[in-house]
Amino acid sequence: MSTAEKIQPMTMAEQADRHLLYQASVQNPDFELDFIDKTFKKLRGRKPRTMREDFAGTAISSCQWVKRRRTNKAVAVDIDAEVLDWSRRYNVAKLTIEQQQRIELLLDDVLNVETPRVDVLQAYNFSYWFFQERTTMLEYFKRTREALVDDGLLFLDVFGGSECYQTQKEKRKVDGFKYVWEQAEFNAITNELKCHIHFHFPDKSKLKKAFSYTWRVWGARELREILAEAGFSESIVYRQKFDPKTDEALDEYIATDEAEDYACWLGYIVAKP
Ligand SMILES: C[S@@+](CC[C@H](N)C(=O)[O-])C[C@H]1O[C@@H](n2cnc3c(N)ncnc32)[C@H](O)[C@@H]1O
């Protein structure tokens, strides 16, 4: 290797931390926890205290949860030791000692994990769509129901519309980089969708396939049917609202069974045990 090569500065992609980029571009825990607090109060008439975060990744939502109220406790479950170690070093370490005592990170499979019953169980960013088989989804929902107190709530996110069923690339500017969402392959028979997240930087360097997922695209209706089969007494879809003039998606979610033929809509399914 020549001297010139040795002193090549590292590119922005080489210096980047994919978990920090993910948190900055994909997640909005404050918005999601506001939705959980508001919906729980409306449906259950009280403030929730205990939360389990499934498919927790960096557990940022659990960290924000214990910061919200001194009475809050969180359990974050993920199957990947690397991401939980990252969480301990970068997210949990920023909490006070007292807050750290109210959060637990569990290295486990959400299909097997045993936890004390909680008020709120959240599974966000469509991670439960890793489950491809109906029997596995049913088993997961049964386990989430057992993990909730009698007046608890399950929070899932969901998306729909014609754009789910096709390959596409979407770019969005975030502070200091570009977030790229790629639906790389879609199988129109199995509904299997292969997706990647890439990050592009101002120095033209790229972090390709920083995260990759294979999901089955589930419909809201079939998910509600499986929830009912798993013993949930009721499920409610909260659909993203759209500006009637511009068709722009708004940061507002309404409980409804009505949806037009939107190209893409985001929502939540909230289920009562
Ligand atoms: C897309 S990340 C979700 C992060 C976060 N929940 C969010 O809202 O952005 C998916 C996470 O699910 C974890 N995961 C996948 N299968 C799992 C399983 N069976 N049990 C527990 N965690 C799982 C992966 O390790 C990964 O960290």
Side-chain angles (χ1 to χ4, degrees):
M1 193 183 280
S2 72
T3 317
E5 274 170 333
K6 270 188 210 158
I7 56 166
Q8 276 289 328
M10 281 166 82
T11 65
M12 293 179 89
E14 284 164 343
Q15 292 176 64
D17 180 325
R18 67 185 187 125
H19 295 304
L20 278 181
L21 298 170
Y22 178 90
Q23 287 189 165
S25 53
V26 176
Q27 295 188 283
N28 190 346
D30 284 329
F31 179 84
E32 283 161 0
L33 294 177
D34 284 349
F35 178 80
I36 286 175
D37 266 341
K38 200 173 66 185
T39 310
F40 199 96
K41 183 90 185 66
K42 185 152 189 221
L43 298 179
R44 297 311 201 187
R46 67 178 179 93
K47 277 186 183 166
R49 291 175 170 213
T50 48
M51 183 180 82
R52 185 171 118 189
E53 183 186 7
D54 277 1
F55 309 97
T58 66
I60 186 71
S61 192
S62 294
C63 290
Q64 293 302 112
W65 183 250
V66 298
K67 277 164 82 176
R68 281 200 159 209
R69 292 186 286 278
R70 290 179 71 86
T71 45
N72 281 0
K73 287 183 179 173
V75 180
V77 185
D78 202 285
I79 206 166
D80 180 2
E82 184 265 333
V83 74
L84 291 182
D85 284 346
W86 189 97
S87 172
R88 272 185 206 99
R89 272 185 289 132
Y90 292 92
N91 286 343
V92 178
K94 289 199 189 102
L95 299 173
T96 66
I97 300 293
E98 190 278 327
Q99 288 162 351
Q100 288 181 17
Q101 284 163 355
R102 290 185 281 111
I103 184 170
E104 192 183 353
L105 305 190
L106 281 184
L107 176 64
D108 212 331
D109 187 329
V110 296
L111 289 170
N112 297 324
V113 70
E114 299 283 347
T115 49
R117 299 207 301 159
V118 287
D119 295 331
V120 167
L121 198 154
Q122 62 143 293
Y124 277 170
N125 208 17
F126 322 105
S127 307
Y128 66 110
W129 288 12
F130 285 134
F131 302 139
Q132 300 275 333
E133 305 304 327
R134 195 181 192 283
T135 46
T136 316
M137 193 61 91
L138 177 63
E139 179 57 26
Y140 176 58
F141 287 165
K142 281 184 180 165
R143 294 192 70 93
T144 59
R145 189 174 163 275
E146 282 160 13
L148 285 165
V149 296
D150 292 346
D151 69 340
L153 290 176
L154 171 68
F155 288 81
L156 304 167
D157 54 5
V158 63
F159 67 82
S162 53
E163 283 179 4
C164 303
Y165 305 100
Q166 62 190 46
T167 56
Q168 62 161 348
K169 240 185 207 178
E170 219 182 271
K171 289 182 188 170
R172 181 160 47 83
K173 268 194 186 161
V174 187
D175 259 3
F177 63 95
K178 227 179 245 171
Y179 161 88
V180 184
W181 171 250
E182 183 186 13
Q183 296 180 187
E185 287 174 47
F186 178 70
N187 181 326
I189 291 179
T190 62
N191 268 21
E192 201 174 276
L193 180 68
K194 287 192 197 315
C195 331
H196 309 290
I197 293 176
H198 317 283
F199 299 109
H200 295 181
F201 299 91
D203 68 354
K204 305 260 184 275
S205 62
K206 294 177 178 175
L207 193 57
K208 287 188 180 172
K209 296 188 182 174
F211 296 93
S212 296
Y213 314 112
T214 303
W215 291 335
R216 167 171 167 181
V217 179
W218 292 85
R221 185 168 178 171
E222 59 189 330
L223 288 167
R224 294 174 82 186
E225 286 167 0
I226 304 171
L227 285 165
E229 205 175 317
F232 283 91
S233 60
E234 188 187 352
S235 64
I236 304 162
V237 173
Y238 290 80
R239 199 210 68 220
Q240 187 173 38
K241 261 179 100 171
F242 291 87
D243 186 309
K245 285 192 188 128
T246 61
D247 262 357
E248 207 184 313
L250 304 172
D251 273 348
E252 210 183 314
Y253 289 79
I254 46 162
T256 181
D257 284 345
E258 298 298 322
E260 293 165 34
D261 57 343
Y262 300 119
C264 178
W265 62 271
L266 295 174
Y268 297 104
I269 301 180
V270 179
K272 294 180 178 175

